[in-house]
Amino acid sequence: MQYADAPGNPWFSWQYLRDNADTVLSALVEHVTLTTQAVAFAAVVGLPLAVLAYWFRPLTGPILALSGVLYTIPSLALLAFVAPLVGTTRPASVLIALVLYALLLIVRNTLAGLNQLPAEVLDAAQGMGYGRFARLFRVDLPLAIPAILTGLRLATVSTVALVTVGSLIGYGGLGDLILGGFRNNFYKAEILVGTVLCVALGLLLDLLLAGAGRLLTPWTRGARG
């Protein structure tokens, strides 16, 4: 339906929302799903890589360099490379690209948090007889939570924006609305709905992670107080 032919082609239209509520909701659900899956997979891969770089210093350079190179590849170029290998009609193409982009943010911030742990705390943990893994899970990672969450927040907001690129192969979540609006004779209401929901989603997820960070690190509130 060529909504853009309607008089005025307004930026906001209740008629569009009523007629396309299911489409908008489906796009939003797809956007949230791709974002959460990508950040979760990136965390599963990125956290162990950061720990490896923390334990074995010679690996720090190669790990950061590899994730950095992946991050600098333009999103359209990466999607064009991945899609033919995985399948242009599968959301996995978009998901793989999103995971590769989120890796650097998670690895870099996690490693920074681990490298900034107070030496006296690490010495005390060693004096108490903690082994490498015991210290990692009881001391190192808990104290590095603020830095880890910073990486997760950056990766999440970045991923929310990058999901829209997937609209080029039909798996862009809210980006499908934005691209569809441009293709539909520049239908402003469709473009605005996709854009506003994308921005709102990024802000909401960032606030949720910030709130989770406050709950997980009560000692930081005491320090600020």
Side-chain angles (χ1 to χ4, degrees):
M1 182 178 295
Q2 299 296 318
Y3 288 100
D5 294 335
N9 185 23
W11 279 106
F12 181 78
S13 170
W14 284 114
Q15 181 69 37
Y16 169 78
L17 290 176
R18 285 194 296 267
D19 293 346
N20 299 276
D22 291 340
T23 301
V24 172
L25 181 59
S26 177
L28 179 60
V29 170
E30 181 179 69
H31 208 111
V32 173
T33 301
L34 286 171
T35 299
T36 52
Q37 287 180 341
V39 175
F41 284 132
V44 168
V45 176
L47 290 176
L49 285 177
V51 171
L52 282 176
Y54 173 59
W55 280 350
F56 307 103
R57 300 298 178 176
L59 294 178
T60 300
I63 289 175
L64 290 178
L66 177 60
S67 57
V69 167
L70 293 173
Y71 190 79
T72 59
I73 300 175
S75 55
L76 290 178
L78 183 59
L79 184 60
F81 176 76
V82 173
L85 297 177
V86 180
T88 56
T89 59
R90 299 177 60 188
S93 302
V94 180
L95 188 60
I96 291 173
L98 294 175
V99 170
L100 294 178
Y101 278 121
L103 269 180
L104 175 65
L105 299 173
I106 293 176
V107 171
R108 184 174 59 189
N109 283 276
T110 300
L111 183 58
L114 292 171
N115 285 331
Q116 293 172 3
L117 297 178
E120 59 272 16
V121 173
L122 301 182
D123 291 339
Q126 186 174 359
M128 295 174 64
Y130 283 151
R132 171 171 284 182
F133 285 97
R135 198 189 79 178
L136 175 68
F137 290 107
R138 296 184 182 182
V139 179
D140 296 357
L141 289 179
L143 290 179
I145 285 177
I148 295 172
L149 282 173
T150 297
L152 289 175
R153 290 174 65 184
L154 291 172
T156 299
V157 174
S158 175
T159 301
V160 168
L162 287 170
V163 167
T164 57
V165 178
S167 60
L168 294 176
I169 63 171
Y171 292 99
L174 296 169
D176 292 342
L177 300 181
I178 298 172
L179 184 62
F182 279 102
R183 289 175 172 173
N184 194 15
N185 292 337
F186 195 71
Y187 181 34
K188 296 178 180 178
E190 188 173 12
I191 296 171
L192 183 66
V193 168
T195 303
V196 170
L197 287 178
C198 188
V199 173
L201 178 61
L203 291 174
L204 176 61
L205 293 178
D206 185 58
L207 289 174
L208 289 175
L209 287 173
R214 289 179 60 85
L215 292 175
L216 293 173
T217 58
W219 62 87
T220 61
R221 298 198 300 271
R224 286 194 293 267

